[in-house]
Amino acid sequence: MNPLPQNDEEWRDWLHRQGAEPMAFEVTRRAATERPFKGKYEDHWQAGRYSCVCCSALLFDAGTKFDAGCGWPSFYQAVRPEAVQLLEDRTHGMVRTEVRCAACGSHLGHVFPDGYGTPTGDRYCMNSAALSFTPTD
């Protein structure tokens, strides 16, 4: 496997060559947030697995995805706790928990303890632009 990019220009080129959507660089490398109800996986319910668009690390199973009504793909847990890195985020005058890919550090979204009715009580609110999807049979 080739080493991951090291600077912004390399990341932009890498994501373009991977066929990532245009917003992927801003989301994964700059911690931007895509507009609600606009991401390709927000209303996507096919069986499969979601991986990091930057490094292909496995992050979420479709079986843990639920309709949170928030406008972003939501999961109640990561495929493994060590698949994601959780960091305190104090931007925009709020205190939130940022979720990053543990393998490459890409920003994925945030996790909130308001996933009522889910087995964990958590809502991993992810950006579609940070994910790739592989269907299962």
Side-chain angles (χ1 to χ4, degrees):
M1 181 175 174
N2 293 331
L4 289 174
Q6 299 299 306
N7 61 48
D8 287 352
E9 184 178 329
E10 289 176 3
W11 273 114
R12 281 187 184 94
D13 183 56
W14 170 265
L15 289 165
H16 178 73
R17 285 186 284 119
Q18 302 306 312
E21 58 186 273
M23 185 80 181
F25 174 81
E26 290 301 320
V27 168
T28 61
R29 310 320 306 167
R30 300 273 189 240
T33 301
E34 64 194 7
R35 293 179 54 187
F37 302 102
K38 298 295 182 189
K40 64 183 174 184
Y41 299 128
E42 190 273 329
D43 192 29
H44 180 261
W45 302 105
Q46 187 176 0
R49 298 223 161 158
Y50 294 85
S51 299
C52 176
V53 73
C54 289
C55 73
S56 300
L58 182 58
L59 300 169
F60 299 97
D61 185 271
T64 65
K65 190 170 186 285
F66 68 103
D67 185 1
C70 63
W72 292 275
S74 298
F75 305 86
Y76 62 79
Q77 68 186 21
V79 71
R80 296 177 331 280
E82 62 273 11
V84 295
Q85 179 183 27
L86 305 179
L87 302 167
E88 184 177 274
D89 176 2
R90 292 184 167 268
T91 61
H92 307 293
M94 299 178 265
V95 178
R96 302 176 292 176
T97 302
E98 179 185 10
V99 180
R100 290 189 185 180
C101 173
C104 72
S106 292
H107 173 80
L108 304 171
H110 292 86
V111 61
F112 302 96
D114 62 3
Y116 304 109
T118 68
T120 63
D122 289 331
R123 174 174 55 101
Y124 284 80
C125 185
M126 302 294 98
N127 289 280
S128 292
L131 304 172
S132 61
F133 178 77
T134 304
T136 55
D137 298 331

